[in-house]
Amino acid sequence: MTFSLDSLVCFQMELANGTTIQEFILVGFGAEHQKKLLLFIVFTILYVITLAENITIIALVLLDAHLAQLPMYILLSNFSWLEMCYVTTTVPRMLFDLASSHSNISFHACFLQFYVLFSLGSTEFFFLSAMALDRYLAICHPLHYFQIMSPNFCYALVSTCWILGFLGYIVPVILISRLSFCRPNIIDHFVCDPVPIMNLACPPLGKVPLVCQMAMHAIFVSNVTCVVFSYGKVICTLVKSSNQGSRRKAFSTISMHLLVVTLFYGSVGGMYLIPSRKSQSEVTKAISIFYVTITPFLNPLIYCLRNDQVKEALGRLLRRTLR
């Protein structure tokens, strides 16, 4: 993307005089045609498979009377719906930019994507905590598990995750959108991310970066604490268990959960909580690709690959269909 010196100076003078920025330009993955075509094909395949995986899980839970009554699968089906929303927030726009010669995005559309993407990410944090709580109650308090994790309680828990997730970033989005921008409106990313957006703002930024960091840290640390406590108690209980068969089965289940948690928390934590240099834009994009496309693709496979109940439900559904 090239700009003449005169147009750049005029652009900065207009911003300095208070003109509101109308759109941003997403740099994305560069301008090499072959590279963009390859990425377009790969991301399209990943997106279609991710949607198919999660639709399959939702359909299984809805159509199988047994799974529909189990708390873990009520949470898992809602988690699958969340993953579908999460990838749809970014991937279609990313594919559009890869297929087109320009990658302009309006000011309002950019901040809407920022808000929805980070709200869905926060909701995923809360869902992972809810699923950790489910495993804690199932293994550490089995006699009271179904009494506590009733379907009504599960749906209330799901609603709470969505509400808390979409409350967390209202203030940061409003504060960043009110900043004055005095640098070229070029975002060195493929999504509207708060860090490169704030890099375009005129100093001083006041307390806006602090508020954003506080929101991110509060959501991250509170959920990590919940997950670590829940799975820590689960592992301690399983180690003390004398039933090797049930212990092996439970360890197999929670190991899959812990893998999902590690993939998501590790990538997001490395991206936003560990200080990095501005020059590391390519590393930032690679990490973003991982948690935006790869993690949602892997999650259904991880949760269901070694899950006997899902395999049995899929078998029952196929037999009913083929009759």
Side-chain angles (χ1 to χ4, degrees), residues 54-318:
N54 287 290
I55 289 172
T56 301
I57 292 175
I58 293 170
L60 277 177
V61 175
L62 290 177
L63 297 175
D64 190 272
H66 177 63
L67 290 186
Q69 297 300 315
L70 296 177
M72 186 174 82
Y73 295 99
I74 294 175
L75 296 176
L76 185 58
S77 62
N78 282 276
F79 185 75
S80 293
W81 170 246
L82 169 64
E83 293 283 60
M84 291 173 62
C85 296
Y86 189 66
V87 294
T88 303
T89 304
T90 54
V91 176
R93 172 73 211 194
M94 186 167 60
L95 295 176
F96 173 80
D97 290 339
L98 287 170
S100 63
S101 58
H102 60 85
S103 53
N104 297 27
I105 183 170
S106 71
F107 180 89
H108 294 99
C110 186
F111 276 91
L112 178 62
Q113 186 192 58
F114 163 31
Y115 173 68
V116 174
L117 175 63
F118 276 74
S119 295
L120 290 171
S122 299
T123 305
E124 183 156 344
F125 276 116
F126 289 111
F127 259 98
L128 291 174
S129 293
M131 295 169 84
L133 173 65
D134 172 74
R135 291 300 84 201
Y136 164 73
L137 292 172
I139 295 171
C140 300
H141 302 281
L143 298 178
H144 304 287
Y145 173 63
F146 287 103
Q147 182 180 355
I148 297 172
M149 295 294 291
S150 64
N152 288 337
F153 180 80
C154 288
Y155 289 120
L157 194 60
V158 166
S159 300
T160 302
C161 290
W162 282 97
I163 292 169
L164 291 177
F166 274 79
L167 285 177
Y169 279 93
I170 292 177
V171 173
V173 168
I174 292 173
L175 291 177
I176 296 175
S177 67
R178 291 181 176 178
L179 291 173
S180 298
F181 296 93
C182 56
R183 295 185 177 91
N185 59 337
I186 304 170
I187 298 175
D188 191 9
H189 213 305
F190 60 87
V191 294
C192 290
D193 186 275
V195 176
I197 291 176
M198 285 192 287
N199 288 337
L200 307 181
C202 308
L205 302 184
K207 296 182 179 180
V208 176
L210 177 62
V211 171
C212 292
Q213 283 295 317
M214 287 176 62
M216 290 178 185
H217 280 78
I219 293 169
F220 186 87
V221 173
S222 60
N223 283 284
V224 167
T225 302
C226 177
V227 167
V228 169
F229 171 80
S230 298
Y231 286 122
K233 293 288 287 183
V234 165
I235 291 171
C236 289
T237 301
L238 291 177
V239 168
K240 296 175 183 178
S241 174
S242 58
N243 190 328
Q244 292 186 354
S246 61
R247 182 201 301 175
R248 191 180 300 110
K249 184 178 179 180
F251 264 123
S252 176
T253 301
I254 68 164
S255 64
M256 296 297 100
H257 287 220
L258 285 172
L259 182 56
V260 170
V261 167
T262 302
L263 288 174
F264 187 71
Y265 282 23
S267 57
V268 173
M271 177 77 177
Y272 294 105
L273 301 181
I274 299 174
S276 60
R277 297 177 183 175
K278 293 180 182 179
S279 60
Q280 295 178 321
S281 62
E282 295 304 316
V283 176
T284 298
K285 291 176 189 177
I287 297 174
S288 299
I289 281 293
F290 187 80
Y291 72 76
V292 167
T293 60
I294 307 299
T295 302
F297 165 73
L298 292 175
N299 284 349
L301 296 175
I302 293 170
Y303 274 122
C304 301
L305 194 61
R306 296 175 62 186
N307 193 311
D308 292 334
Q309 289 180 312
V310 171
K311 293 176 182 177
E312 291 169 4
L314 183 59
R316 289 193 295 268
L317 180 61
L318 290 175

